[in-house]
Amino acid sequence: MITLIAATTKDGFIADNHGNGNFSSAEDKEHLRAILRHSCDGFICGTKTANEFGAILNYKPMHVFTRKTPIDWVNMSEEFDLALLGGAQTYAWFLANGLVDNAIITTEQNIKFGAGLGLGFDKYSKQFKLKDKIELSPNTIVRYYEKIRARV
């Protein structure tokens, strides 16, 4: 199973124009740490995200995604619970290829960038249903989504 995990600004960006995505609240960071420690077997990150957070995430296997990566993500996701941690191109590729099973998206209600790198989840949101919504603080909202499975 692959779970997309992202923090967005109120206007839907995951990073500003300079690529800075370190804007989430202390509450969200604590929430993220708990999820990563207890709810996944490993991480999927793009090269930039892996370089930036690799030292922090060294307690579980990290799979660095590139378009040339010779990994069978379908079989990998059937065997392991993986947290998809970005960046923007990595999120886009996994969403476009239908490989995201769940999404945990935090919105920081008090932050707007106006421009930057978007998550792109809205384009695929009809493939998911909202399962839960929690408020970590008055400005930090987390939404849990699950992919809608075709009925057989």
Side-chain angles (χ1 to χ4, degrees):
M1 181 173 307
I2 295 176
T3 300
L4 180 153
I5 302 175
T8 68
T9 61
K10 184 175 183 173
D11 51 354
F13 294 103
I14 61 172
D16 64 17
N17 282 332
H18 304 289
N20 177 19
N22 189 9
F23 60 84
S24 63
S25 65
E27 294 87 356
D28 182 50
K29 288 177 177 149
E30 182 179 325
H31 179 253
L32 174 63
R33 281 192 294 274
I35 289 170
L36 296 180
R37 288 224 180 260
H38 304 293
S39 300
C40 70
D41 300 317
F43 315 116
I44 303 170
C45 300
T47 304
K48 183 178 175 187
T49 303
N51 289 338
E52 187 173 347
F53 296 106
I56 297 169
L57 300 172
N58 64 359
Y59 56 93
K60 290 187 181 181
M62 180 179 292
H63 308 279
V64 180
F65 171 78
T66 69
R67 293 180 201 269
K68 297 176 183 177
T69 306
I71 294 177
D72 181 348
W73 295 107
V74 173
N75 285 331
M76 177 82 82
S77 68
E78 289 173 358
E79 189 173 342
F80 301 102
D81 288 332
L82 300 169
L84 178 61
L85 301 176
Q89 291 179 357
T90 302
Y91 288 139
W93 189 89
F94 277 84
L95 284 165
N97 286 281
L99 295 173
V100 174
D101 300 293
N102 299 298
I104 302 171
I105 302 173
T106 301
T107 304
E108 296 294 352
Q109 298 290 93
N110 60 335
I111 299 173
K112 288 176 88 174
F113 285 165
L117 298 173
L119 176 59
F121 186 77
D122 290 348
K123 182 177 177 181
Y124 302 96
S125 63
K126 289 187 167 112
Q127 298 173 15
F128 295 84
K129 64 181 171 184
L130 181 64
K131 294 294 286 181
D132 198 8
K133 175 182 167 182
I134 62 171
E135 187 176 292
L136 298 179
S137 74
N139 289 315
T140 305
I141 309 298
V142 182
R143 290 175 179 83
Y144 296 83
Y145 297 90
E146 179 179 88
K147 189 172 190 175
I148 300 168
R149 304 286 177 206
R151 296 181 188 222
V152 180

